[in-house]
Amino acid sequence: MSNNLSSETVGVAPDYSKKECWCKLPEISKDVDTFYIYATEYIMGSFAEGAPDFASLDNTEMLQGAEAEYNLHASAYVDSTNLFMPYYRQSGLKYAGEMARKTGTADAAFEGMPINDITAALDYYFENYNGGRPFIIAGHSQGSAMVLVLLRTYFKDHPEYYSRMVAAYPIGYSVTDEYLAANPHLKFATGETDTGVIIAWNTEGPKNLETNAHNLVVLPNTRSINPLNWKLDETYAPASMNLGSLMANEETGEPEIKDVGADAQINLARGVVITNAKGEPMDEETANAAAEFFGPDGRHNEDYLFFYNNIKDNVAKRVAAFMREKNPIWNTGCRKM
């Protein structure tokens, strides 16, 4: 679909009954859905003089970024699920950084307009699109921060929806011990196929660990699960366990599945996944901005890319496990009509 949103939706709350307010609306062909919330795509434009704190629905940088994120991140869910992805008026990276410096986390930047838009999209999705199917809720970065808000608020208030949640993948944001203690209805994943759980990690290179670098998305007492061996301890997962990374072809720039040596090991003290794989090349301006927000050896942009095929495989396994647990009739080859 075109990214040209109608003028009446620009600068005001999106109307999710209109298809142009959705980045992706699927043809229903699977028995499980994914509701995906994209990351901060209003990035460099947010630093321009006089730029607003939030992106309007016609913000070109955000629209193009959301489409790219579908191809590079959200597409990992498409083989197993019907993927729904709404547009929303998101916080810019500059404003998120300002809030983090003031409060210790970027969470305040996502309150108000962004979470209100996403809540409205979720309401419309459940009332008009979901049809009672099980679902995954997923995102990256800012999108994952809002997944975590929704898990502790919206889904606590809607247990009838929450009971159908296969899993939540708020990748690239911190799930802390304090968050889990305050929300006992939520559980962090303990393995490869448990369901109704939170699956998350933040990825860094060795230098961030060595220098205890500041990283906007890494909070104290955060947890990660290893996306290669699906363990919570510091067991090293070699790159031979990686089923394929989604990286740019050096000649064409198009994404392709490659072996880039993306290994993974949790560092429990910092609560992150450490990899020795190198990130995608960046121009100097982008690299400097990334280092300021995610540390000199951050791998935030590669949270999905390095482990793309392992994520895709894991989604399929959790969906299958959920169907076995919740819908035993499916094991007979029959389906409820």
Side-chain angles (χ1 to χ4, degrees):
M1 60 176 269
S2 169
N3 281 338
N4 294 322
L5 299 171
S6 58
S7 60
E8 70 241 41
T9 67
V10 175
V12 298
D15 178 354
Y16 291 108
S17 68
K18 297 179 178 179
K19 291 184 178 181
E20 61 262 32
C21 288
W22 294 83
C23 181
K24 298 296 173 184
L25 280 177
E27 295 291 332
I28 304 303
S29 60
K30 312 292 195 314
D31 299 298
V32 175
D33 295 345
T34 292
F35 185 95
Y36 185 92
I37 309 172
Y38 55 83
T40 306
E41 300 297 351
Y42 177 37
I43 301 174
M44 301 312 294
S46 72
F47 292 91
E49 185 175 354
D53 292 335
F54 299 93
S56 59
L57 291 174
D58 65 343
N59 183 282
T60 300
E61 183 182 20
M62 182 185 75
L63 296 174
Q64 292 176 346
E67 189 67 32
E69 187 167 344
Y70 169 77
N71 291 326
L72 299 175
H73 294 176
S75 58
Y77 302 93
V78 168
D79 281 1
S80 297
T81 69
N82 313 297
L83 190 125
F84 294 81
M85 185 169 161
Y87 288 119
Y88 70 100
R89 295 169 296 174
Q90 67 171 200
S91 169
L93 183 59
K94 179 183 177 182
Y95 184 54
E98 290 172 353
M99 290 298 100
R101 284 189 288 274
K102 288 180 181 178
T103 67
T105 81
D107 290 356
F110 314 139
E111 295 174 355
M113 187 182 296
I115 194 63
N116 289 344
D117 283 0
I118 288 297
T119 300
L122 203 56
D123 278 340
Y124 194 87
Y125 160 75
F126 277 119
E127 292 165 8
N128 297 276
Y129 291 138
N130 174 254
R133 288 183 298 277
F135 67 93
I136 287 168
I137 186 165
H140 185 239
S141 198
Q142 179 170 171
S144 292
M146 287 193 285
V147 169
L148 293 173
V149 172
L150 293 166
L151 288 173
R152 68 174 172 80
T153 57
Y154 187 92
F155 288 107
K156 186 177 182 180
D157 295 339
H158 291 281
E160 72 279 16
Y161 299 154
Y162 183 56
S163 66
R164 302 202 306 272
M165 189 185 83
V166 174
Y169 287 82
I171 296 168
Y173 209 73
S174 285
V175 181
T176 65
D177 293 341
E178 291 80 2
Y179 173 87
L180 293 167
N183 298 283
H185 65 291
L186 303 175
K187 299 291 185 291
F188 199 79
T190 59
E192 187 177 23
T193 61
D194 45 344
T195 62
V197 295
I198 299 171
I199 300 105
W201 61 83
N202 285 294
T203 316
E204 296 188 308
K207 187 180 292 186
N208 267 23
L209 177 62
E210 294 162 7
T211 61
N212 193 28
H214 168 73
N215 187 329
L216 179 69
V217 295
V218 176
L219 302 178
N221 303 316
T222 192
R223 299 189 189 186
S224 287
I225 192 167
N226 189 313
L228 296 186
N229 61 22
W230 304 105
K231 293 184 178 182
L232 301 177
D233 60 22
E234 294 187 340
T235 302
Y236 176 69
S240 59
M241 297 182 71
N242 195 310
L243 301 178
S245 303
L246 186 65
M247 310 297 285
N249 180 287
E250 289 87 350
E251 296 180 1
T252 67
E254 294 298 313
E256 63 182 18
I257 297 298
K258 301 172 67 174
D259 178 1
V260 296
D263 55 355
Q265 183 173 26
I266 291 175
N267 178 270
L268 290 174
R270 191 165 168 87
V272 300
V273 168
I274 300 297
T275 184
N276 292 296
K278 301 301 181 185
E280 291 270 39
M282 302 180 192
D283 61 67
E284 184 176 359
E285 182 181 20
T286 304
N288 289 339
E292 178 183 351
F293 285 93
F294 305 114
D297 210 13
R299 298 289 185 274
H300 186 62
N301 288 341
E302 287 79 29
D303 283 325
Y304 271 85
L305 300 181
F306 278 162
F307 312 112
Y308 182 86
N309 270 356
N310 291 76
I311 296 170
K312 183 185 291 190
D313 178 70
N314 187 248
V315 169
K317 287 178 176 176
R318 292 191 199 271
V319 165
F322 185 91
M323 290 306 185
R324 288 193 300 270
E325 295 163 6
K326 305 295 185 181
N327 298 283
I329 192 172
W330 287 50
N331 291 333
T332 70
C334 302
R335 297 186 182 183
K336 296 178 182 178
M337 301 300 290

